[in-house]
Amino acid sequence: MYVAVKGGEKAIENAHRWLSEKRRGNTDLKSIELKQISEQLFLSVSRVMAEGSLYDKELASLAIKQSSGDLIEAIFLLRAYRTTLPRFGYSKGIETDNMICSRRISATYKDLPGGQILGPTYDYTHRLLDFKLIAEEEVHNSKEVEIDNIEKLSRVSEYLNKDDLIKRENNTSKQPKDLTREPLELPADRSLRLQSLTRSDEGFLLGMAYSTQRGYGRNHPFVGELRIGIVDVFFEISELGIEIEIGEIEITECETVNQFMGSKKEPPQFTRGYGLVFGQSERKAISMALVDRALQWKELGEENQNAPAQDEEFVLYHGDNIQATGFVEHIKLPHYVDFQSELELIRKIRKDAQKSEK
Amino acid sequence: MLKSQKNKYTKEDPLEHDEYNFAYLDEQTKRMIRRAILKAIAIPGYQVPFSSREMPMPYGWGTGGVQVTASCLCPTDTLKVIDQGADDTTNAVSIRKFFEKTANINTTDDTNSASIIQTRHRIPEEPLKEGQILIYQVPIPEPLRFLEPRETETRIMHALEEYGLMHVKLYEDITKHGHISTAYAYPIKVEERYVMDPSPIPKFDNPKLHNNEALQLFGAGREQRIYAIPPYTKVISLDFEDYPFEPMKAEAICSICGSNSSYLDEIIINDKGDKSYICSDTNYCEKRK
Ligand SMILES: [Zn+2]
């Protein structure tokens, strides 16, 4: 007779062997190198670092290679690795005022000190397949692109700050909670929300942000400033009482300026949404800023429109793609036992129903 | 950094090296989890928040159970892992292998000789005894979740012992279907205080939760909750006087061992759709053969 599948162990081994062959693909072709990934697929690397919450281009490239380009799988690999790393402490807050920008644009001022810097962007490209790339062997770019603006660029929101037209965001000396070390408890303060948003799934945030623009929690945003560039990271060694630079990271920062007509709590003024993401990721940074602004309705005394993007519990609980993918996909695991008990129940209820019909 | 350097350039399985701590988690994390476990034992049925870590298996695939197991394991422990009652289902195999590699402990299929049993969806047929720990993998720890989706609300309901909504739901079931239409993850009340989700075990298993000699721990990784039923704890399945709780199983006997009292899996044996039944608990069935 048929006996329920035995030998799960062997089956798993075979499946994994097959997978690793598939991952490698045709062996007549060279195996893709990590450097190629980090140099030529750097936007993928950015996303994996941001949502993996680990800034390491080499490891992110490895994860992308190992996951055959499935970015959520790659993010998962990085997260699982990250969680095992010992913690020496927390770095000082990065100073994005001192960013060396490769890109800096403002949608609110035509010109401003430091100017608009387009930088490497897909904006304004015509989305036409470039068939030249099929045959591309070597790069023909003759001119080296130089970053000439190493001076410090003043911040757009500062101009509004000076005129008291935008809500001031005060520095708090409070040590922010660490989402990766403490369970999420609600209500969350803004620093915790931002932590959660910056590692949230890009697609989820994009959808949430988009919904605010279409009227579900509308917040009238302008991109006050979007900048991409390099900042230094400092770490304080308390035993020695000194601060040292431990490295530099590339980040994308977006500050939106949002219309606000005032409430019982706050006078009419502009308000802001904030997005900060590892690597180059404008879509995510802008989305994050819109959602951050939507989530501030309570602090600002705005009306709750019951929009999904205003709902802290909804946004924070469902934005993590590693949690989401695990749980959604877990329904492919065996559920024989539960299904069996449902079978028995439905049979019983049907039997009773048939009896009472007669 | 150092760690990654070492990992990156060796071809062997990184878990087999001393790259990771005993049972994978670092000691500090285990301490944090043990504190949550102790709190859970002190307040039976109460869901204790804990800072769940990313594990090398996906959320929803047993990460809560795995973290609790990792925090309870000692080198002298003997571990049994089951899924759907069976030792050889793929996910059980995968979790058992994980601990064989990372903790180098003994494993067994024998319910009786295991000191720790991690389970998904079943309680073994063989009665557990003092000193054993049964660790459940939990997908949704909140019994009130499908009545009230908000965690902020359900925590208040627990605090105020406000369980009316649950009783209304069960009552509506009876008026609509003539039965309580919950077949698994059937809600229980622990020590006359907290309403608790026993994880998706069939309600057939519910009576075994009561007064069990073993310590029962529940881990929900994605939802970041741990809860417990200490040994010899009073557990009742929610019901009404005129509609008492009844455990349920297929009215058949096991076609391998002939048991008429164990929980059975229904299997389809040919293209005509003929059915047969076998014990869901493979170790129990094996021993009776
Ligand atoms: Zn049997």
Side-chain angles (χ1 to χ4, degrees), chain A residues 119-142:
Chain A
T121 177
Y122 278 98
D123 295 351
Y124 317 114
T125 61
H126 292 139
R127 268 64 172 203
L128 302 170
L129 279 176
D130 181 359
F131 296 106
K132 282 202 305 291
L133 292 179
I134 298 174
E136 185 183 58
E137 289 288 327
E138 292 303 320
V139 195
H140 310 295
N141 251 2
S142 45

Side-chain angles (χ1 to χ4, degrees), chain B residues 253-259 262-264 277-282 284-286 288-289:
Chain B
I253 59 163
C254 171
S255 59
I256 298 174
C257 76
S259 170
S262 76
Y263 192 77
L264 301 172
Y277 293 88
I278 54 167
C279 292
S280 132
D281 184 335
T282 48
Y284 170 83
C285 192
E286 190 85 1
R288 287 173 44 90
K289 251 197 303 198

